[in-house]
Amino acid sequence: MFMKNDYFSVGEFCATAFQIRRCTGVADAFFFDWLISPGTSFDVVNKLCDAMFQSGNWDVVGEPGNEGIRVREKFSGLLFQHEFATNATGQIDTAKVEDHLVVAKQKFSYLKDKTVAAIKRSQRCVLVRAENDLVTLNDALVRANQMRACFMPINSGAKIVLASKNFENEYQHPDFLMVKLRACDAWVGDLPSWDRLFSIAENCFQFQGA
């Protein structure tokens, strides 16, 4: 599919970035691509990265049956599953976290600056976030307004797509889409659902001057 819009992942998890790359063919790396951004932790785009990755300001978290697989950076609330070294059982090697903090800070400071600059210059900017905890239209509107507060100062023309396999209904607005994904056991999600999401975004959004 030919894509005329520029798509940027705002999480919540890495399947969003995978699908953007798959459907657009654009492999550029951006800040949120391979991390987990719970709640409103995406507001890190408006914070100074100097405060991130401070010594001791982290812990290790996971989920039931898969404990200890992520480093949580406490200043931002972001979770890192692929950045830090793991042991033979796939859990974070806590003895190596501190030594990697400086490298991680440099990497994500660079990616943040790159992401903000790319969003700022895009004339057809679409921010995509898949978050399966979103169910109702009100859930989606609350999250969309939080995203607007963070990203509209960077690009006032940006559009937002929220996706969830648990949405009760779908919703279309000139600046905002709420798209239901079909349930899928694979971490990447249901591919036809994602194809449909991008098709809707390509057809729905209109950009002034683009």
Side-chain angles (χ1 to χ4, degrees), residues 16-184:
T16 308
F18 172 88
Q19 294 294 347
I20 289 173
R21 291 186 178 196
R22 181 183 70 86
C23 291
T24 66
V26 177
D28 269 356
F30 293 107
F31 185 88
F32 293 99
D33 287 358
W34 307 118
L35 51 78
I36 299 170
S37 53
T40 59
S41 57
F42 48 78
D43 68 357
V44 70
V45 296
N46 298 307
K47 296 178 178 178
L48 294 175
C49 277
D50 285 348
M52 292 182 64
F53 299 109
Q54 296 295 316
S55 177
N57 199 32
W58 57 273
D59 58 7
V60 173
V61 299
E63 52 193 28
N66 218 2
E67 290 82 5
I69 61 170
R70 299 167 186 146
V71 170
R72 177 172 58 189
E73 200 285 312
K74 291 185 178 181
F75 171 76
S76 63
L78 296 168
L79 307 178
F80 298 83
Q81 187 166 335
H82 307 293
E83 180 62 27
F84 293 86
T86 56
N87 56 30
T89 62
Q91 296 175 314
I92 297 295
D93 188 339
T94 56
K96 296 181 178 179
V97 172
E98 283 286 327
D99 289 341
H100 189 64
L101 291 176
V102 172
V103 173
K105 181 175 180 177
Q106 292 172 342
K107 173 181 175 180
F108 283 93
S109 293
Y110 163 76
L111 286 174
K112 178 191 166 186
D113 291 344
K114 176 184 177 182
T115 302
V116 169
I119 290 173
K120 185 175 183 178
R121 68 173 175 263
S122 174
Q123 294 184 314
R124 305 188 66 92
C125 178
V126 180
L127 308 172
V128 184
R129 181 176 175 85
E131 184 175 350
N132 290 326
D133 288 339
L134 302 178
V135 178
T136 67
L137 174 59
N138 186 66
D139 293 340
L141 291 174
V142 168
R143 184 66 78 235
N145 285 334
Q146 291 166 338
M147 292 174 66
R148 287 190 184 102
C150 292
F151 290 97
M152 292 302 145
I154 302 171
N155 187 327
S156 61
K159 315 294 186 183
I160 293 172
V161 179
L162 290 175
S164 172
K165 66 182 181 182
N166 294 313
F167 273 147
E168 294 175 340
N169 298 290
E170 295 191 324
Y171 180 79
Q172 293 188 15
H173 181 274
D175 297 321
F176 165 62
L177 294 176
M178 176 180 169
V179 180
K180 183 176 176 66
L181 301 174
R182 286 190 297 193
C184 180

